[in-house]
């Protein structure tokens, strides 16, 4: 028997993909979420800037609540990693492949996120430090938690400088540490660092241990102890599936979308961190909602989705 054609395949089950799943399932559309299970939200020990949770909420709990909500309305979720996406120009249909499975869909939403580049450190130490707030990745999210603390920023170039200067409005004790060699900063950045009173330390640097409530970083200039360290080493954007079908990217390597989350490929949409914009849960959710509504409207423009009458529904039920 031929596989049924999905109205929408969502790749990625983080805040963007799951918000879209909730909307699309409630639009009575036939959808599937395929998720690799590596949402950045799952790394968050407790998010305190997400509206509606005054005491904060763990990223894993937020994701589970969203999955439950999507499934309640009929969304199906599979834990798999999609490795191939094809687009048939004549039919407009997409075929996605993973492991031993595949799906055919009229539309695809890519909500595949980004990965932060990690500093050189033992993986177990990294995960433990992350859970305890000794390593942090997002000053917009949790800069408040390091107010008046001793903070190290591992980074270089303008990106590292911008992160260190951003954190300077939370604490007077900020040190910028080069990850690999001597700190590379131009005259303008050096001026900014001086003006903000940010100390600079040459690399190579490696976070080596947790002592009490602090993290120790070994550098070319000796050991430093911090309350928290922010790696500012950039991120890798998961656009590979979109590139397979020719989706255009913006200058920063994220998907180029219109204001309704359409990519340059008809029927292909993108939402969340994988699209240029603020890398935050609220933004990912907002884009997920916009994408889902656009997908619904675009599908209905091609073919109206009238709801069957109650007698037709009864007949269908009796026949099934
Ligand atoms: C340590 C940390 C703390 C943070 N704290 C906060 C905070 O307090 N507040 C806040 O607003 N934001 C915070 N963020 C940012 C927030 O987590 C992200 O902005 C948010 O998760 C983005 O959602 P998303 O759905 O776009 O991507 P993600 O949540 O990253 O989800 C993407 C999903 O796509 C899947 N995927 C990728 N490729 C494939 C594929 N080929 N096949 C199948 N699945 C695939 C991945 O496995 C993943 O599950 C934090 C981030 C980190 C790392």
């Amino acid at each position: 028997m031929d596989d049924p054609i999905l109205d929408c395949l969502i790749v990625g089950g983080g805040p963007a993909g799951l918000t879209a799943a909730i909307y699309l399932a409630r639009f009575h559309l036939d959808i599937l979420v395929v998720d690799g299970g590596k949402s950045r939200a799952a790394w968050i020990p407790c998010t305190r800037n997400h509206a509606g949770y005054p005491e904060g909420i763990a990223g894993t709990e937020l994701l589970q609540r969203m999955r439950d909500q999507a499934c309640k309305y009929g969304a199906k979720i599979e834990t798999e990693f999609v490795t191939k996406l094809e687009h048939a120009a004549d039919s407009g249909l997409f075929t996605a492949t993973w492991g031993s499975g595949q799906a055919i869909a009229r539309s695809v939403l890519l909500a595949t996120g980004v990965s932060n580049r990690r500093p050189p450190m033992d993986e177990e130490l990294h995960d433990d430090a992350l859970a305890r707030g000794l390593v942090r990745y997002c000053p917009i999210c949790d800069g408040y938690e390091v107010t008046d603390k001793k903070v190290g920023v591992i980074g270089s170039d303008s990106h590292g400088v911008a992160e260190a200067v951003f954190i300077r409005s939370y604490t007077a004790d900020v040190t910028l540490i080069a990850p690999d060699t001597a700190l590379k900063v131009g005259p303008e950045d050096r001026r900014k660092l001086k003006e903000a009173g940010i100390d600079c330390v040459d690399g190579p640097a490696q976070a080596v241990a947790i002592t009490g409530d602090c993290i120790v970083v070994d550098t070319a200039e000796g050991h430093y102890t911090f309350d928290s360290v922010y790696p500012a080493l950039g991120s890798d954007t998961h656009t590979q599936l979109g590139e397979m079908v020719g989706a255009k990217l913006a200058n920063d390597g994220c998907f180029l979308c219109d204001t309704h989350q359409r990519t340059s490929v008809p029927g292909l949409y993108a939402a969340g961190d994988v699209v240029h914009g603020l890398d935050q849960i609220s933004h990912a959710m907002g884009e997920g909602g916009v994408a889902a509504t656009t997908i619904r409207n675009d599908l209905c423009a091609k073919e109206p989705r009238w709801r069957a009458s109650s007698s037709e529904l009864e007949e269908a039920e009796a026949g099934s």
Side-chain angles (χ1 to χ4, degrees):
M1 205 177 82
D2 286 343
D3 283 336
I5 298 173
L6 296 167
D7 288 316
C8 185
L9 173 74
I10 301 171
V11 187
L18 290 174
T19 300
I22 293 165
Y23 278 52
L24 288 165
R26 288 175 51 83
F27 289 146
H28 293 299
L29 294 177
D30 189 12
I31 63 159
L32 172 68
V33 181
V34 181
D35 179 39
K38 299 234 182 301
S39 167
R40 285 209 307 143
W43 284 25
I44 311 173
C46 181
T47 170
R48 296 180 194 277
N49 74 342
H50 187 53
Y53 297 93
E55 304 309 320
I57 181 167
T60 45
E61 191 186 340
L62 183 65
L63 289 170
Q64 189 55 52
R65 285 179 182 221
M66 294 181 74
R67 273 195 291 267
D68 291 347
Q69 194 175 350
C71 292
K72 178 177 171 176
Y73 295 107
K76 292 177 209 79
I77 303 177
E78 288 197 22
T79 306
E80 293 281 355
F81 190 83
V82 178
T83 49
K84 192 160 125 192
L85 186 65
E86 294 161 291
H87 182 220
D90 49 349
S91 63
L93 293 176
F94 293 88
T95 304
T97 308
W98 58 89
S100 55
Q102 76 168 34
I104 299 173
R106 295 183 180 87
S107 66
V108 171
L109 172 64
L110 296 177
T112 41
V114 305
S115 304
N116 294 98
R117 291 188 201 128
R118 294 180 177 204
M121 66 191 285
D122 174 78
E123 205 169 312
E124 216 173 298
L125 175 67
H126 173 273
D127 293 353
D128 189 15
L130 187 72
R132 294 163 66 166
L134 301 173
V135 167
R136 299 175 179 271
Y137 280 90
C138 173
I140 294 176
C141 312
D142 52 23
Y144 187 89
E145 273 63 48
V146 300
T147 299
D148 300 330
K149 299 264 174 87
K150 190 174 166 62
V151 175
V153 175
I154 300 181
S156 159
D157 303 319
S158 294
H159 181 62
V161 173
E163 191 110 324
V165 170
F166 186 88
I167 293 168
R168 180 63 181 79
S169 36
Y170 295 98
T171 172
D173 196 341
V174 183
T175 304
L176 178 63
I177 309 160
D180 34 27
T181 53
L183 197 64
K184 284 182 245 145
V185 283
E188 177 58 17
D189 280 335
R190 197 151 296 272
R191 184 194 61 75
K192 284 186 196 162
L193 291 169
K194 194 165 173 228
E195 211 171 84
I198 294 169
D199 292 333
C200 296
V201 171
D202 287 334
Q206 184 164 13
V208 286
I210 294 173
T211 50
D213 288 336
C214 295
I215 183 151
V216 180
V217 181
D218 203 0
T219 78
E221 301 183 32
H223 288 307
Y224 285 78
T225 302
F226 298 102
D227 294 310
S228 282
V229 161
Y230 282 86
L233 303 170
S235 52
D236 297 307
T237 314
H238 304 147
T239 51
Q240 295 85 348
L241 295 175
E243 289 177 76
M244 285 178 197
V245 294
K248 285 193 188 137
L249 304 185
N251 289 339
D252 62 358
C254 294
F255 285 122
L256 196 63
C257 285
D258 71 6
T259 52
H260 297 271
Q261 307 305 135
R262 297 182 187 97
T263 70
S264 58
V265 176
L268 185 71
Y269 305 77
D273 286 357
V274 78
V275 178
H276 175 78
L278 187 67
D279 287 355
Q280 289 283 280
I281 296 169
S282 57
H283 199 67
M285 288 180 169
E287 288 190 348
V290 171
T293 308
T294 310
I295 290 166
R296 184 251 168 230
N297 290 346
D298 288 351
L299 287 172
C300 290
K302 279 191 198 151
E303 189 192 341
R305 302 303 180 100
W306 307 134
R307 185 87 180 142
S309 67
S310 35
S311 56
E312 284 168 331
L313 285 172
E314 271 164 29
E315 254 173 56
E317 195 143 304
S320 66

